[in-house]
Amino acid sequence: MSIAHFCAFAVALFAIGGWFFVWLMHIVAILYGKYRLHRMLPPPSPEDLQGISIIKPLVGVDPNLFSNLETFFHLKYPAYELLFCVQDENDPAIMVVQKLIETYPKINAKLFIGITKVGANGKINNMVKAYEAAKYDLLVISDSSIRMIEDGLTDMASFLKEDVGLVLQMPYTYNRKGFAATYEKVFFGTWQARNALSANSVGINCSTGMSCLFRKDLIEDAGGLAQFGKYLAEDYFISKVISERGYRTVLCSQPAMQNSGYCSIGDFHKRLIRWSMLRASLLPHLMFFEPLSECMLLGVIVSWAMEYMFGISPMGFFLLHVLLWFLCDYTLLRIVENGPLPFSKFEFLVAWLLREVLAFYLTLQSHRTPYIKWRHKSYKAHWGGIIEEV
């Protein structure tokens, strides 16, 4: 066998092996999603539920902010406090919070204005005051766009066993109108859900900081929340610290319902590019493996490999590959949604095709510049996740 044939054989074998691995992720995600999502554990008795401090970092106002925050005033949980953090005294979010505090005087809620500069991460700077003032040993960090169901906090607390240090709500989206909202829901219910569910099923760090519950003492052992100000992906490192102390990170049954009032495909693509850049700075090997795990590129490579190894028609194999991927993603999305989808099958098809076709392009865009744009600031990420503000 010549060197060229040996190299082609090795590449084809590697591609087919990777293809089977990705299909294993599909199967595990579907089975684990069916097992874990929307299946609440029996809640502990009220006297066994520990108090929880909920930290809500806020910047600016969007059309859904008031209704999103209001859901946290209706939580069915025996003891919790709401700690709202606003960076600037002129931020209009202050009026929204003050109105809610006046409307629900029986709920223990406080407002903190101004940052404590501990690093380049603006979100951490915004939360330090609330973190230090929290009176409970369990903390929840919840983004401003999250909409919580009444028993959502109880659901999270139910999964906090003795060997669990961090409980996550898997990112998803609340039902909203418009194609951009459909596009976001398809992404979070397919690609994001597949990776989060398959990773969590085997104990791999898949932490996201949108909505998470953790033990404060574990973070205090690492130097407190301020120690994570040098990272932009603080959620990943919080989970890593907890794991290093022998505790597990688990998903609870209810997804985190993102409900931003502003929804556009362009803005969402910017988020995807930023997340891709962060993943590459944390785990550099993903720059190579992540694009190869996408439906279209993987399908093209494996179709060639199947023809080279077994003489199978590449076009027929590619079409079958795409069809099966489509059906698996549709099945997983239905599991995450826990019922009929709020859009038609045709809308799902269009949104799914757009995401899959643009996946490789967006990955390339994430490598065009070393600078990460987040809100109104720019950062440069170094290997290991440490950032500096530009």
Side-chain angles (χ1 to χ4, degrees), residues 40 84 89 146 164-165 230 253 287 326 386-387:
M40 295 182 62
F84 297 98
E89 61 183 8
I146 299 299
V164 174
K230 58 186 175 183
S253 74
M287 289 190 293
F326 171 83
I386 295 177
I387 57 169

Side-chain angles (χ1 to χ4, degrees), residues 303-314:
S303 296
W304 163 81
M306 287 295 184
E307 181 188 30
Y308 180 82
M309 297 285 284
F310 308 110
I312 298 175
S313 167

Side-chain angles (χ1 to χ4, degrees), residues 14 18 22 286-295 297-299 301 325 360:
F14 175 79
V22 172
L286 291 181
M287 289 190 293
F288 174 75
F289 288 108
E290 195 170 276
L292 296 178
S293 68
E294 296 287 358
C295 176
L297 182 58
L298 179 62
I301 295 173
W325 197 295
F360 185 63

Side-chain angles (χ1 to χ4, degrees), residues 40-46 49 154-155 158:
M40 295 182 62
L41 296 176
S45 58
L49 287 172
T154 303
D155 178 49
S158 299

Side-chain angles (χ1 to χ4, degrees), residues 58-62 65-66 69 85-100 111 113 262:
L58 308 176
V59 178
V61 174
D62 78 9
L65 180 64
F66 185 91
L69 297 184
C85 316
V86 180
Q87 296 184 10
D88 188 278
E89 61 183 8
N90 296 316
D91 195 314
I94 293 175
M95 292 185 290
V96 174
V97 173
Q98 289 175 337
K99 176 64 176 177
L100 286 167
L111 174 62
I113 302 175
Y262 300 114

Side-chain angles (χ1 to χ4, degrees), residues 38-51:
H38 308 289
R39 295 166 63 93
M40 295 182 62
L41 296 176
S45 58
E47 58 270 17
D48 292 332
L49 287 172
Q50 301 180 57

